Amino acid sequence: MSWIRRFPAVPAALLAALLSLLALFAAAPAAQAHEERPVTLPDGSGSVPEYRTGEPDLLVCKTGRPDFERRTAGFPEALRQRNLALYDRCEKSGYRDLQAAVDAVDRPGMNIAILPGLYEEEPSLPKPTGECAALKAPNSALGYQILSYEQQVECRHNQNLVAILGKKNLQIEGTGASRQDVVIDAKYQKLNAIRADKSDGIYFRNFTAQRTTFNSLYVLAGDGFVIDDVLTRWNDEYGFLTFASDHGLYKNCESYGNGDSGIYPGSASDINDGRGYDVPRHSIEITGCRSHHNMVGYSGTAGDSVWVHDNEFDGNMGGASMDSAFPGHPGLPQNHALFERNLIHDNNEDFYPYVADGTCAKAPVDRGYEQGVVCPQISMPPGTGIITAGGNWNVYENNWVYGHRRAGFFLSAVPAFIRGESAWSKQADTSHHNRYAGNVLGKDKSGASRPNGADVWWDGQGKGNCWQDGPDGSTPGTLPQCGAARGEVSGGSARLAGEPVKLAQLLVCADYNVQARKLPAGCDWYGARGLERVETQIALAVAVVLALVGGVLWWRRLRGSRLGTLAALLGLAGLALDVAGSTMALTTTFVPALALLLLGLWWTGTGVALRPGRPWLARLTLLLGALTLLDAFDKAVLMIPWIPLSPAWIRALVAVIWVLWAVIASARPGPPRTAAPTTGDGGGTSDGGTSDGGDGGADRAPIPAHPAPTPAPTPDGAPTSAPGGAA
């Protein structure tokens, strides 16, 4: 039985204290990644649509046969002849814009074929006029209006180049030899290139959508969709965005040049909430896709029950992420993603300099997206393979994860108040039961060595999380191990909060805003190095305080004690290693644990040396030493199970009390020194004793001088002379 079940009142009290502390630091406003009208998840009665091979019902083409013949000249002959025949038909009865063909759909199950060409949808481009220019709707944090479905129907092109609203089982397919033969281009004049809203059973195939101020292809509130062999690129936010949808399939897709992620299955239908690892099905499947040179290849706030397999995520700032960090997403907290056999490598791009130098403050058309510029929309650690920020029951198995300068896997918790939920019972409801097993870390498919900077970064919070044997470099240095079967864990822990220094780092790094060009100082995600990093600053500040207080205590109370002097030297070495261990190069090595070991020995030795004269300070010092040694064991040997907090939290609290007590003990004057008696062997202080330096009486009770013996009286009453005295 866990300690939480035994003492149900303890978690609430601890959470109250921790969250009150965090609130002091959480000055950054909550970020808003994707804001949409209130929407409910589908009822799950739909299905994944199947591709239809029959002749199209509606055709879309551009005029100008010479240009069309030039575009199709290099096609395989059979495909070229088919396109020429379709063009002849389209010239007579087809449409010149995709929106016109969509408007002509009058029944479920129709097919639209788009012939090779560039489609800028000129009738959709003019700015809104009349009532559409004066819609009353709330504004998002990014400035666009959050329109209702009825407003989208009324004013289809306020935000959308092509609006597909309420169409059922519609198939839209490009007829080119590749997906780049049909291009739908918003020219940064619309929020979305294609929006499919409440359009169950939609199938997109074989075309490119590009250059929007939000995302290229948007599927909202759909039960059943397929994105097949589609390319999206050069968008402020997302390439593909599917939201509050079920029975979805992405396959053979590609996305690049996006300010958030290439692929974003946000708020996927939460069909497995409340289950363990065994689930009957997944809501969305993503396979055979490549997402590269984005802020992150894949992301999913509330990306629930998504099966991601046999894809490649590379050349991004981060390979893939899922989170519970943004309010307004149905299905939070995120749960039950399954990642298998993906190639996640070399995600080391750093696009934050484009924010710092003002490039991202320009109009989208002037930023240079087509030349490789990406404007990161949220905070994230560059150089990371898979990031899980507040997810539960996720499984990562049999993936190749290599070549990342920071970490292969990154796991942190997200308290519920970040997503707008204030109930105490929910504050520690993320970062549980995530399984990392059977992955190939630090090697490519050929077996060549391609190490990650560290294989694992974990803040330490949560229960039931586990990792495979032998990660090459991790923080903490020891991790719970996964068993052969899902759910089997050895060395598990169940903690309500992460490590204090890691929480400080996450809080500092989260204070990012692309619109305000605000890059938090002190965070290495944005280029801070050495003493600029908040972790190193904290370690250095703590080292200076402890060195000063400990040094004064030694000088005033222990400088004559060999044990006290040896302990002080160990403490100085430990403080130096603690600062060194906070640097990026040494964080995942043995150095932080060695620093704690030396500091624990310092306080233990100091406590023993203080016992004769300062028993209560000695007891506190010994307690601090024991907690520090326990912290070293917890980080390097085995995470201690069943405790609600890392020893680092209790150690930090006791250290504050110790510093105050040690300052008082050092400053308080002791009683006057009493001359020590001369002994036959020269006297002195033993190794185990204490010496007070200049005022030894403060730590030891003074030894009274022996009174002179009273001489025995003689028979006549005269005292006898002392031995050796004068006769």
Side-chain angles (χ1 to χ4, degrees), residues 636-663:
V637 181
L638 175 69
M639 291 190 73
I640 301 168
W642 309 307
I643 59 175
L645 294 174
S646 160
W649 284 98
I650 311 302
R651 177 172 64 88
L653 176 61
V654 173
V656 171
I657 299 171
W658 182 86
V659 165
L660 297 174
W661 199 331
V663 168

Side-chain angles (χ1 to χ4, degrees), residues 3 17 24 63 87 149 161 163 186 199 206 247 338 346 385 420 484 576 617 623 637 658 712:
W3 70 273
L24 296 176
T63 57
Y87 185 81
Y149 179 76
L161 192 69
S199 296
N206 194 33
H247 291 104
L338 172 60
D346 300 296
L617 178 58
L623 173 62
V637 181
W658 182 86

